[in-house]
Amino acid sequence: AAHDGRELWRMDAMASLRTRFQSAANNASHGYAPYSSPAWQNPAGALTDGGDPAKVPVFDSEVTTNLLVLTNTVDKVPSGASVDGYELHFKVQTDPTQGFLSQGNFSVAQLFRNGSLAGDNRVPAENYNVIAGPATVFTFGGATEKFGTSFSAGDVNASDFGIAVSLNGGDASSVGVQVHDAEITIHYTE
């Protein structure tokens, strides 16, 4: 074939995959003190938006929940893609039986891999993202936020890759919190 003088080139483009998880569990062995109680009830409630949510019924401002860990993404990043960043999405509310008067705060919003927390906790020290009232989606991370990790496509496609969240009672004397839906957006370049 004759060459017509035009240069051919390909520019890799960033893509995004927003997905849910297939597994959920309460995890008390994460090494952060005082994150050791109370335990999450119905952890699988965080896998979908609807039905009975994952919840911690009542705890006070001095207590932080166990980790709620979600792993094994439903959809997978293309093999060989470069992972550029993550966004963690949690749909959270205070317990409606308390009239939405209580508030809670995020303590941990982090990646989880191979049975342990991975990378940096993305909850800012100066702003806990106050949870008070009806269900609200909170997002941590961004298109180029790698959380201090260098995971490959194979790592994020592994069944033990996921996200973790822990909440505390904030300024409330007692609070119950619920997670209705948790997802991750994985930004990548093919």
Side-chain angles (χ1 to χ4, degrees):
H3 188 298
D4 65 4
R6 288 183 288 177
E7 289 187 41
L8 299 176
W9 57 279
R10 177 181 166 199
M11 184 173 150
D12 291 334
M14 187 184 287
S16 299
L17 171 72
R18 186 166 178 160
T19 185
R20 290 194 164 115
F21 297 90
Q22 298 181 56
S23 302
N26 177 69
N27 184 315
S29 61
H30 45 71
Y32 282 106
Y35 311 131
S36 59
S37 67
W40 287 90
Q41 296 177 2
N42 189 38
L47 297 174
T48 61
D49 189 14
D52 190 24
K55 56 190 157 197
V56 175
V58 176
F59 62 107
D60 65 36
S61 62
E62 302 300 318
V63 176
T64 302
T65 68
N66 286 349
L67 289 176
L68 174 61
V69 176
L70 301 112
T71 56
N72 197 10
T73 58
V74 172
D75 301 303
K76 306 298 181 184
V77 172
S79 179
S82 296
V83 177
D84 299 313
Y86 309 93
E87 293 176 64
L88 315 185
H89 312 281
F90 301 99
K91 186 175 182 182
V92 180
Q93 72 181 49
T94 53
D95 187 342
T97 64
Q98 296 177 350
F100 298 119
L101 298 174
S102 299
Q103 74 178 31
N105 295 322
F106 283 87
S107 294
V108 174
Q110 199 164 345
L111 298 175
F112 195 84
R113 174 81 165 100
N114 200 22
S116 301
L117 289 170
D120 302 326
N121 182 5
R122 281 308 196 218
V123 176
E126 70 282 355
N127 179 1
Y128 286 96
N129 300 74
V130 174
I131 303 157
T136 303
V137 176
F138 294 87
T139 299
F140 300 89
T144 59
E145 294 279 338
K146 291 187 178 184
F147 288 62
T149 66
S150 57
F151 292 138
S152 68
D155 293 327
V156 300
N157 289 338
S159 63
D160 64 357
F161 173 82
I163 61 178
V165 63
S166 178
L167 306 168
N168 69 44
D171 297 329
S173 58
S174 66
V175 64
V177 290
Q178 300 177 345
V179 177
H180 294 268
D181 192 15
E183 297 177 314
I184 187 170
T185 300
I186 304 169
H187 300 277
Y188 63 92
T189 304
E190 286 191 88

